[in-house]
Amino acid sequence: LPEARGAPLVLLYLLALRALAQVSHRQLLSSPPAARHTEFSAGRAREYLDNLTAIGPRTVGSPENEVLAVNYLLEQIRQIAREGTDAHKISIDIQRPTGSFSIDFLGGFTSYYANITNVIVKLEPRNGAEHAVLSNCHFDSVPNTPGASDDAVSCAVMLEILNTLSKSSESLQHAVIFLFNGAEENILQASHGFITQHEWAKSIRAFINLEAAGVGGKELVFQTGPENPWLVQAYVVAAKHPFASVVAQEIFQSGIIPADTDFRIYRDFGNVPGIDLAFIENGYIYHTKYDTSDRILTDSIQRAGDNILAVLKYLATSEKLAKSFEYRHGNVVFFDILGLFVLAYPARIGTIMNYITAAVAFIYLSKKVLQSKNRAIHNLKKLFTAFGLTLTSWVCTLVAVLIVAAFVSIIGRALSWYSHFYVSISLYGSAAAAMVILVHMLAKKFLYKNMNEQYLGDIFFDASLMIWSIALAVMTQMGLCSAFICTLWVAFPLLTKLMIHKEFSQKGATMKFIVMYMLGMFVPYLYMLYLSWTVFEMFTPVMGRSGSEIPPDMVLAGFIVVFTMILSSYFVNFIYLVKSTKTTLVTLTTVFAVTLVLVCSGIFFPYSSDAANPKPKRVFLQHTSRRFHDLNGNVVKSDSGIWINGFDYNGISHITPHVPEINDTIRTPCEEQAPFCGLPWILPVHFMFRLVKNWYLPAPEIMPRSPIQFKVLSKELMPWNSVRLSFEVSGPSHMSLYVRPHEGAALPRWSLGDGTPVASLGGDYFVFYSHGLQAAPWHFWVELRAPEKHSDAIVSIAIAAHYFFGEDQKSPQLYALLERFPNWTFSSGWSCTYDLFVF
């Protein structure tokens, strides 16, 4: 096989499949939407979206969130109720719950909320309904962002679904409860308040949660269950434009992505099964000022509305909803085929299919080894040598590419691909492909000198089949539903091999053989390229907000190497079938070398302020005043400054030229005696950021007009050498409490969560507090067990107050500093105070 024919063919084949996968992902709607009033209208939903985002940032506790957004939702819901048909009864309720819970998200912490807001609507048959399906969105946003995609568009979709269902003359069998929750960004507080306290929550048998990890595009089903395969089946049957993946579910639930949704609350605290959907496209502007309604395509709204309306109607008329506990058991393997339809089957069926496929492959390999009894040992050695060489090539590739990624990170060129994704393929993809070819080229030259090329091509195909068969058996044994991918990569290549065996054995690597071979590999290669788009679409933007600890180039390079291994696995045999691979190797090496030089030169700037497609650098700035008190309550130390955190691995290296005073001379010192280093973390994400990568710029003291009030109400001696300290706190809508028992002391109980304290990573305790409007002072107690011999303090307690809106949000100094930041940054700023006490 001439290299001039083989290499371009493989490249064109992969590019054609990649283009097909790309077209499939970009195709939002398979047919134009209907215009009937009984069908979902993206036009009406966009009106709701525009009006909701026009309110501005909707931070919990702000008038925008607690008054303006709530009033707008109520106004629209009441109008919908007035225009509905007599087939339905619509009930509206405003809930303002207070509660507390612990969660193992972000290393573990406890949450307390007071008087937050839920707007709840129940649409049911005229004579009522015993069972209900829940649809959940949240209308609050993170500070300083309009939150169009996260999650105003979902609330707009739900309003239009409510409008559509209310106008239908067909009565539903079960109720549909629409929860517009007002405190999801405060780490899932409002959903907890609803599912644990509202009277309607008892009737809920299933839920659909509408979320976002990006801005627009297709909404992906990335979590289902737990168990309850009938729910997946409902989506499979009802969804008009399906997009679902059990692979995404297993990735998300592994904790690799630092995010969570209300799905967890309904599952863990309500014991209710559900479906979790999220927009995943363009995560670069998720949680930034660029998350505006004009960036969400109308077709994206239409497909989400079509899907969710259809699934809700299906569930609300399903007999299985009422008896959901009877259909509870078993997981499901599910995945869509290019967005056209979803394949779903019980995991136990998948396990049987996987083991049968692996067994057939092993039987085939055994027959190949034993076809000549005199040469069985020889054949086995050759197979295991090829197997070992293939694995060696992968290990060498991974090590080499990670060394390149480490070098790029060390010289300060991390994230060069963030605004130019093709750079990562040119740099790491070309290096990975070149390394795979190099190892096999050397093996062919020195280990397999003068051996039959046809025989080598055959044995390396079998080696790849053996690797995939082992991977299939191992993943199935681990209980991973994603093992279906391995089934594709065993079954289709094996069938292809059996079909073209005669052609290959008689004539060798002819053009007909290559065409038949590539056609046989069509399904696994197309699906892998389709899946890779989803994975990179989700993960690449996350690298810009994953903290300063993990080198993003190492992560992305690792992903690219893994996909290179997979895509090369059944083309490795071509290296042995072609006469030479020198031209291909030189071409790939040249691409790699040129890209590396360009990356090192700094020509690829990581961030972009392009109005049509911004990819900003995220920076958080907190103008902080800190006071440290001793055992007698005296202030022994105080300071004030602007605490700066860059949310990615590059820190502030790109910002220093624009704001020279933010430089390495003002790195944040750690107050070792204080919990969380004496810093006002809004969430316990300290483990994602090294202190050498955040900065503390001296600034004047801030004097909030509404300062925090922290009082010790009582100190009671308890049995077993314990003491109970009771406190009262009043302050802004967001506060963080940090607790560190001193050496020898312990914190066995407190009045928060379920009463058992949950430590964060590092051993300190973190409490996230928020309140809506007109909340009473926060009362809580902590019970500490003191060591038998102690003469000084047994606990340090710190409280931080965060001013996310209103007149106290930004000081003049913070405003002035934010104005100087370059336009390719998204800089979110607020003021806060920090007080440390010892008792």
Side-chain angles (χ1 to χ4, degrees):
L1 178 67
E3 182 186 13
R5 188 180 292 174
L9 265 176
V10 172
L11 180 63
L12 285 172
Y13 178 71
L14 293 175
L15 287 175
L17 293 181
R18 177 71 185 86
L20 191 57
Q22 179 83 355
V23 168
S24 169
H25 276 294
R26 296 296 176 202
Q27 178 81 17
L28 292 175
L29 294 174
S30 50
S31 58
R36 299 191 298 274
H37 73 273
T38 54
E39 299 287 336
F40 183 91
S41 165
R44 285 193 295 263
R46 180 170 284 289
E47 273 185 53
Y48 297 137
L49 171 62
D50 291 341
N51 292 334
L52 199 50
T53 52
I55 293 169
R58 301 170 302 284
T59 312
V60 172
S62 68
E64 289 80 4
N65 192 67
E66 310 300 326
V67 179
L68 298 179
V70 170
N71 286 349
Y72 176 74
L73 289 169
L74 287 174
E75 182 185 320
Q76 301 310 310
I77 292 163
R78 284 169 182 152
Q79 184 174 337
I80 290 168
R82 284 194 295 272
E83 295 172 358
T85 66
D86 292 337
H88 313 281
K89 181 169 72 175
I90 296 178
S91 310
I92 307 167
D93 190 36
I94 306 295
Q95 184 199 22
R96 292 203 165 85
T98 295
S100 181
F101 61 97
S102 294
I103 189 169
D104 62 2
F105 178 54
L106 296 176
F109 67 97
T110 299
S111 184
Y112 186 97
Y113 54 90
N115 217 42
I116 56 175
T117 307
N118 281 323
V119 177
I120 314 158
V121 187
K122 180 160 72 170
L123 180 138
E124 59 186 330
R126 271 287 160 198
N127 55 356
E130 184 183 351
H131 308 286
V133 57
L134 171 72
S135 182
N136 176 78
C137 72
H138 66 91
F139 59 85
D140 65 312
S141 69
V142 294
N144 304 315
T145 70
S149 167
D150 187 25
D151 192 35
V153 67
S154 296
C155 291
V157 165
M158 275 173 44
L159 279 173
E160 175 54 17
I161 288 172
L162 173 63
N163 179 52
T164 305
L165 288 176
S166 70
K167 286 183 166 62
S168 170
S169 56
E170 295 176 32
S171 181
L172 301 172
Q173 187 177 338
H174 309 294
V176 181
I177 295 173
F178 297 86
L179 171 58
F180 301 86
N181 93 54
E184 189 272 351
E185 298 296 358
N186 282 12
I187 315 300
L188 324 178
Q189 291 178 335
S191 54
H192 182 270
F194 170 77
I195 203 68
T196 59
Q197 298 177 40
H198 200 277
E199 61 177 336
W200 292 350
K202 296 175 191 139
S203 65
I204 294 169
R205 300 292 171 263
F207 70 88
I208 298 178
N209 183 48
L210 286 62
E211 255 298 346
V215 179
K218 293 183 172 185
E219 78 293 346
L220 171 69
V221 172
F222 66 100
Q223 284 192 102
T224 65
E227 298 191 314
N228 286 274
W230 67 277
L231 264 179
V232 177
Q233 203 57 44
Y235 180 83
V236 170
V237 172
K240 293 183 178 180
H241 323 285
F243 185 37
S245 174
V246 75
V247 180
Q249 173 171 294
E250 291 185 338
I251 289 173
F252 189 82
Q253 293 182 350
S254 71
I256 293 172
I257 299 175
D260 219 329
T261 74
D262 288 321
F263 181 97
R264 171 197 282 255
I265 298 296
Y266 299 130
R267 178 194 68 197
D268 294 354
F269 292 94
N271 197 28
V272 181
I275 300 172
D276 214 358
L277 304 103
F279 296 103
I280 62 166
E281 197 170 294
N282 199 5
Y284 298 97
I285 57 177
Y286 164 78
H287 280 189
T288 72
K289 65 183 178 183
Y290 300 107
D291 183 9
T292 51
S293 62
D294 58 299
R295 296 186 187 275
I296 302 173
L297 296 176
T298 301
D299 279 359
S300 186
I301 299 172
Q302 185 68 49
R303 66 165 283 127
D306 285 346
N307 282 342
I308 296 156
L309 172 61
V311 177
L312 279 175
K313 282 175 77 172
Y314 184 91
L315 291 173
T317 54
S318 169
E319 295 289 343
K320 290 183 178 178
L321 187 78
K323 303 172 185 176
S324 58
F325 59 91
E326 292 180 13
Y327 306 96
R328 180 175 193 120
H329 300 292
N331 289 316
V332 186
V333 179
F334 61 92
F335 53 96
D336 71 285
I337 305 298
L338 302 181
L340 301 174
F341 59 92
V342 175
L343 278 180
Y345 49 88
R348 63 182 181 275
I349 301 295
T351 300
I352 295 167
M353 286 166 51
N354 294 351
Y355 281 134
I356 290 173
T357 305
V360 170
F362 285 125
I363 291 167
Y364 162 81
L365 292 169
S366 302
K367 286 191 77 174
K368 283 289 292 286
V369 168
L370 298 170
Q371 64 186 351
S372 173
K373 290 186 179 178
N374 298 332
R375 295 176 58 81
I377 300 297
H378 173 78
N379 290 340
L380 193 61
K381 279 183 181 177
K382 290 297 180 189
L383 178 60
F384 275 102
T385 303
F387 176 83
L389 256 172
T390 305
L391 291 182
T392 301
S393 72
W394 289 356
V395 171
C396 291
T397 300
L398 183 62
V399 170
V401 174
L402 288 182
I403 288 171
V404 174
F407 170 73
V408 168
S409 302
I410 289 165
I411 65 168
R413 298 300 181 197
L415 292 166
S416 295
W417 38 264
Y418 192 65
S419 286
H420 327 272
F421 184 72
Y422 62 87
V423 172
S424 67
I425 303 301
S426 297
L427 183 63
Y428 302 125
S430 62
M435 198 65 195
V436 168
I437 291 171
L438 178 63
V439 173
H440 287 284
M441 196 170 112
L442 292 172
K444 183 181 177 183
K445 185 173 182 180
F446 296 107
L447 195 63
Y448 296 116
K449 199 171 183 181
N450 301 322
M451 282 192 72
N452 181 279
E453 291 171 345
Q454 208 167 315
Y455 173 76
L456 288 175
D458 205 36
I459 203 79
F460 274 91
F461 176 93
D462 291 346
S464 293
L465 184 66
M466 186 174 168
I467 290 170
W468 279 108
S469 301
I470 292 169
L472 173 58
V474 170
M475 288 180 70
T476 305
Q477 182 61 35
M478 291 170 65
L480 294 173
C481 293
S482 302
F484 79 88
I485 295 172
C486 297
T487 303
L488 296 178
W489 283 82
V490 172
F492 282 91
L494 185 54
L495 286 170
T496 302
K497 184 67 184 293
L498 295 172
M499 284 192 304
I500 63 173
H501 175 69
K502 188 176 178 182
E503 171 75 19
F504 182 65
S505 58
Q506 291 177 356
K507 301 178 184 177
T510 60
M511 202 64 189
K512 182 181 176 184
F513 159 78
I514 294 170
V515 171
M516 289 174 68
Y517 187 86
M518 289 181 170
L519 285 173
M521 297 293 183
F522 179 81
V523 171
Y525 272 87
L526 178 60
Y527 186 76
M528 185 51 66
L529 287 163
Y530 178 74
L531 182 65
S532 70
W533 183 94
T534 307
V535 170
F536 285 116
E537 188 73 26
M538 289 172 69
F539 270 97
T540 308
V542 169
M543 295 295 98
R545 58 178 191 270
S546 58
S548 63
E549 289 290 279
I550 303 166
D553 277 63
M554 302 279 280
V555 176
L556 191 72
F559 274 122
I560 290 172
V561 168
V562 168
F563 278 106
T564 303
M565 291 173 185
I566 293 169
L567 295 175
S568 69
S569 57
Y570 286 110
F571 283 124
V572 161
N573 53 336
F574 277 40
I575 298 169
Y576 295 90
L577 292 172
V578 296
K579 290 170 184 171
S580 168
T581 50
K582 283 182 184 175
T583 306
T584 305
L585 188 60
V586 168
T587 304
L588 288 168
T589 306
T590 304
V591 170
F592 163 71
V594 170
T595 309
L596 182 61
V597 169
L598 292 174
V599 166
C600 292
S601 72
I603 196 168
F604 300 114
F605 190 69
Y607 313 106
S608 168
S609 59
D610 176 29
N613 191 24
K615 291 175 181 174
K617 176 181 178 62
R618 298 160 190 261
V619 187
F620 280 23
L621 300 93
Q622 294 169 240
H623 192 165
T624 305
S625 286
R626 302 190 298 175
R627 293 180 299 182
F628 300 83
H629 302 77
D630 64 13
L631 199 52
N632 300 314
N634 302 314
V635 176
V636 291
K637 179 185 175 182
S638 64
D639 62 29
S640 188
I642 297 175
W643 184 40
I644 302 160
N645 273 294
F647 255 49
D648 64 44
Y649 191 76
N650 284 331
I652 46 88
S653 57
H654 293 90
I655 292 171
T656 301
H658 300 267
V659 190
E661 60 267 40
I662 303 177
N663 55 57
D664 287 346
T665 64
I666 58 162
R667 291 192 186 277
T668 311
C670 177
E671 301 291 339
E672 299 289 351
Q673 83 285 2
F676 295 93
C677 279
L679 295 167
W681 295 102
I682 181 65
L683 287 168
V685 292
H686 54 293
F687 62 92
M688 294 169 64
F689 299 88
R690 284 178 289 175
L691 285 176
V692 294
K693 284 208 175 179
N694 53 60
W695 296 263
Y696 197 65
L697 181 66
E701 183 180 1
I702 56 168
M703 304 293 289
R705 294 168 182 81
S706 308
I708 194 170
Q709 303 292 327
F710 186 80
K711 298 177 188 172
V712 182
L713 296 180
S714 65
K715 178 179 177 181
E716 303 171 64
L717 291 176
M718 308 293 286
W720 308 104
N721 205 35
S722 296
V723 62
R724 178 178 289 185
L725 299 168
S726 298
F727 300 94
E728 179 184 281
V729 187
S730 56
S733 63
H734 291 72
M735 293 184 280
S736 307
L737 180 77
Y738 322 90
V739 182
R740 175 186 287 177
H742 290 197
E743 190 174 354
L747 178 63
R749 295 204 308 145
W750 61 8
S751 60
L752 307 167
D754 63 2
T756 302
V758 172
S760 293
L761 289 177
D764 295 333
Y765 297 85
F766 186 100
V767 182
F768 178 87
Y769 169 90
S770 78
H771 69 69
L773 296 178
Q774 301 168 338
W778 178 26
H779 291 96
F780 68 93
W781 55 260
V782 296
E783 194 171 297
L784 292 134
R785 190 179 301 124
E788 288 187 16
K789 294 179 182 177
H790 72 279
S791 55
D792 55 0
I794 60 167
V795 66
S796 294
I797 297 180
I799 186 91
H802 303 272
Y803 297 88
F804 280 129
F805 55 86
E807 54 188 6
D808 287 330
Q809 182 184 2
K810 293 175 186 171
S811 64
Q813 294 81 11
L814 184 56
Y815 262 121
L817 185 63
L818 289 168
E819 286 293 313
R820 295 171 60 197
F821 270 66
N823 61 358
W824 42 262
T825 62
F826 168 65
S827 45
S828 182
W830 69 93
S831 297
C832 59
T833 60
Y834 175 96
D835 287 277
L836 176 75
F837 303 92
V838 289
F839 300 98

